[in-house]
Amino acid sequence: MSSEIPALTLNNGVVLPAIGLGVFQSAPEETAAAVHAAIEAGYRHIDTAAAYGNEREVGEGIRRAGIDRAEMTVETKIWVSDYGYEQTLHAFDKSATKLGVDVIDLLLLHQPMPQHFERTIGAYKALETLLADGRVEAIGVSNFMPHHLAALLESTDVVPAVNQVELHPYFSQPEVQLADAEHQILTQAWSPIGGITFYPGWGEHRRNVLEDDTVTAIAQQLAKTPAQVLLRWHLQQGRSAIPKSTNPDRIQQNIDVLDFDLSAEQVSVLDSLETGRRGGPDPDAVDPSSWGLDVPEAGAASS
Ligand code: A2P
């Protein structure tokens, strides 16, 4: 089953399906098929990023599904190597061309660049221009901690519609959620089912949140899977979530989360799993511009 996914209204009135398909680490050759499968399953929202190298395949998957473009929410992110006002305007063109769209529904800055915050501001001002020009429907940020948000709000005009951050029961960032809520910014969870707690190559001795005894016990009580329990937890707390999968069965499973409720007690038990330890990079500790990742031009052979 996959009846209508709840819609969330952003602070500028744009409506966003609460669950979208994530494609972080989806290989380009698998991405179009995953997007196509997701649309067949009822998804109407796809989250990608220039840095993922698969925007072209996201666009292809949407076209392959034959769905009316107006029904889809396409979300992507500007990578840090394209920050600065003019560079970000050009980065929009690169992403839009690769996606094969004229208008991007939701465009985010992928990271703050604390070491070059003036370029972060320049990039955000370009998003404001794109919004004013009708090239994007809504703008936002990703991985912004409350102090980054405060600094951004001081120097810009449009309050971000979305802040996409690492968020699962082991790391739920209550202070970020609070700061977002204060400004009517929707908190969107990346790694909503805790992929970052079990992806290979992200550190040893991690606990997989999908195998957590508490999570699996709740899943058993409800006859649901651990991933479904975590997605329900996000929905019931009013967040957007973008679970990644390239597997058609799991893609389907991750949207079939509308026919059950977690009790208030189950929600608070999940809240209590907080460890205070992030799985992904600390936005203040890393300088992503040092990663050497440049986003190719739209005319280049690869994404
Ligand atoms: P796969 O693509 O093979 O399904 P997150 O979005 O939290 O980062 O999690 C993504 C990870 O979780 C990927 O490794 C994905 O693998 C896996 N995954 C996605 N959906 C499910 C599910 N319903 N049950 C278990 N694992 C899942």
Side-chain angles (χ1 to χ4, degrees), residues 42-239:
Y43 289 70
R44 294 294 178 266
H45 169 201
I46 315 289
D47 169 75
T48 182
Y52 301 167
N54 56 20
E55 287 174 310
R56 219 183 287 283
E57 292 75 13
V58 166
E60 190 190 317
I62 293 172
R63 285 188 296 280
R64 222 187 261 177
I67 190 158
D68 184 354
R69 166 74 184 96
E71 279 195 45
M72 292 301 302
T73 297
V74 179
E75 173 175 359
T76 192
K77 314 180 195 79
I78 305 283
W79 183 239
V80 296
S81 53
D82 283 326
Y83 282 9
Y85 184 79
E86 293 299 336
Q87 295 92 321
T88 297
L89 289 181
H90 179 60
F92 165 85
D93 288 331
K94 288 198 275 189
S95 286
T97 304
K98 289 176 190 172
L99 288 161
V101 300
D102 295 325
V103 173
I104 292 175
D105 302 276
L106 178 55
L107 186 59
L108 310 185
L109 299 188
H110 203 135
Q111 300 264 350
M113 267 218 294
Q115 299 80 357
H116 308 278
F117 207 70
E118 69 300 335
R119 281 179 59 204
T120 310
I121 299 289
Y124 193 81
K125 289 190 170 179
L127 299 194
E128 292 180 324
T129 297
L130 292 163
L131 184 68
D133 291 349
R135 309 299 308 277
V136 300
E137 296 279 343
I139 62 176
V141 294
S142 180
N143 299 308
F144 270 52
M145 300 298 101
H147 59 286
H148 304 127
L149 268 184
L152 182 83
L153 292 171
E154 230 171 69
S155 310
T156 57
D157 296 323
V158 179
V159 176
V162 167
N163 186 15
Q164 184 186 114
V165 294
E166 176 182 347
L167 211 163
H168 46 77
Y170 286 168
F171 191 63
S172 61
Q173 310 217 55
E175 66 303 333
V176 173
Q177 295 199 58
L178 199 63
D180 288 349
E182 269 169 26
H183 299 287
Q184 286 83 50
I185 298 169
L186 175 68
T187 302
Q188 186 174 55
W190 68 251
S191 260
I193 57 172
I196 196 72
T197 68
F198 57 86
Y199 282 142
W202 286 80
E204 301 302 311
H205 310 301
R206 290 168 307 155
R207 284 190 297 148
N208 177 342
V209 72
L210 288 182
E211 291 172 1
D212 183 282
D213 289 346
T214 304
V215 175
T216 54
I218 294 174
Q220 253 171 14
Q221 283 159 23
L222 296 165
K224 296 290 167 188
T225 68
Q228 288 174 317
V229 165
L230 298 193
L231 290 165
R232 193 69 216 170
W233 173 71
H234 289 292
L235 288 186
Q236 287 184 216
Q237 296 193 334
R239 290 186 291 273

Side-chain angles (χ1 to χ4, degrees), residues 191-196 198-199 210 225 227 242-247 250 253-254:
S191 260
I193 57 172
I196 196 72
F198 57 86
Y199 282 142
L210 288 182
T225 68
I242 43 152
K244 175 265 170 183
S245 183
T246 48
N247 173 293
R250 290 192 285 274
Q253 183 192 120
N254 293 345

Side-chain angles (χ1 to χ4, degrees), residues 1-6 17 19-21 32-46 61-62 64-67 71-72 228 243 245-258:
M1 66 143 278
S2 60
S3 48
E4 289 262 302
I5 282 295
I19 292 186
L21 178 75
V35 168
H36 187 183
I39 293 169
E40 301 257 290
Y43 289 70
R44 294 294 178 266
H45 169 201
I46 315 289
I62 293 172
R64 222 187 261 177
I67 190 158
E71 279 195 45
M72 292 301 302
Q228 288 174 317
S245 183
T246 48
N247 173 293
D249 292 338
R250 290 192 285 274
I251 287 172
Q252 178 76 59
Q253 183 192 120
N254 293 345
I255 205 172
D256 287 344
V257 292
L258 304 179

